[in-house]
Amino acid sequence: MKKKRKPNIKQDRVRELIGFSLILFGIYLFTGLISYSSKDSHLWYQDWPRQNWAGPTGDVLGAILVTAFGYAAFFFPISLVLWGWFVFRKRNVLRLLWNSLLAAAVLCWIMAIVGLLRIPYYMEHLPAAGSWGLFLTDLLSNAFGNIGRWIFLF
């Protein structure tokens, strides 16, 4: 006869709290990214009203993510919300880990293509691929040459 396992309420509550916190942080980060503005100084203190809805922390985090990853920065809050939901609902996180890694690899490929095309970010002198996309583009250019990088990506 199989023994029934007694549910550990404390462990379940901790897991739900971690999942809920990840969801809230993902929404907060998404808010900081969506209201990212070049008019803000992206420092902790500034003399004029901040354009970013997430305040100084969201502004600084948004500036770091947009500078580093360009449009791919929106992958981070979306994945945080998904991870939070999976943890909150006690789902299998191994499958989500595999899907997250696959999505990150596809995003790197897209960032390299956008870096090759030199598409600008919608409001600033920042590249849409971010610094990481430009790094990947330069890496491919140095390894395979100008024609080889196009062949490698397609």
Side-chain angles (χ1 to χ4, degrees), residues 1 12 21 38-39 42 53 58 65 67-68 72-73 79-80 103 105 116 133 148 153:
M1 185 170 184
D12 289 346
S21 298
S38 63
K39 296 175 185 171
H42 312 305
W53 302 335
L65 287 174
T67 302
S79 64
L80 277 175
L116 281 174
L153 287 175

Side-chain angles (χ1 to χ4, degrees), residues 8-132:
N8 189 349
I9 295 174
K10 186 175 182 180
Q11 185 179 9
D12 289 346
R13 293 292 174 219
V14 168
R15 187 177 180 126
E16 288 174 356
L17 182 64
I18 290 171
F20 190 67
S21 298
L22 285 172
I23 291 171
L24 285 180
F25 185 65
I27 292 170
Y28 177 75
L29 194 58
F30 186 76
T31 304
L33 284 172
I34 215 126
S35 62
Y36 175 79
S37 173
S38 63
K39 296 175 185 171
D40 289 334
S41 67
H42 312 305
L43 301 172
W44 290 111
Y45 301 107
Q46 70 182 29
D47 295 335
W48 57 93
R50 207 170 280 281
Q51 300 291 321
N52 198 310
W53 302 335
T57 307
D59 182 38
V60 170
L61 288 174
I64 290 169
L65 287 174
V66 166
T67 302
F69 301 106
Y71 285 116
F74 287 95
F75 170 75
F76 291 101
I78 292 169
S79 64
L80 277 175
V81 169
L82 285 174
W83 273 92
W85 180 254
F86 269 62
V87 169
F88 183 80
R89 300 293 297 165
K90 299 179 202 148
R91 305 279 171 125
N92 184 7
V93 293
L94 288 177
R95 190 168 68 173
L96 181 62
L97 175 66
W98 173 252
N99 289 338
S100 297
L101 292 174
L102 184 62
V106 169
L107 268 174
C108 285
W109 177 69
I110 291 172
M111 287 169 55
I113 291 173
V114 170
L116 281 174
L117 299 174
R118 302 285 185 202
I119 299 172
Y121 198 70
Y122 77 98
M123 70 172 65
E124 290 190 16
H125 62 283
L126 295 172
S131 300
W132 179 248

Side-chain angles (χ1 to χ4, degrees), residues 141 144-153:
S141 180
F144 301 112
N146 288 333
I147 302 296
R149 67 183 177 178
W150 285 98
I151 293 170
F152 182 79
L153 287 175

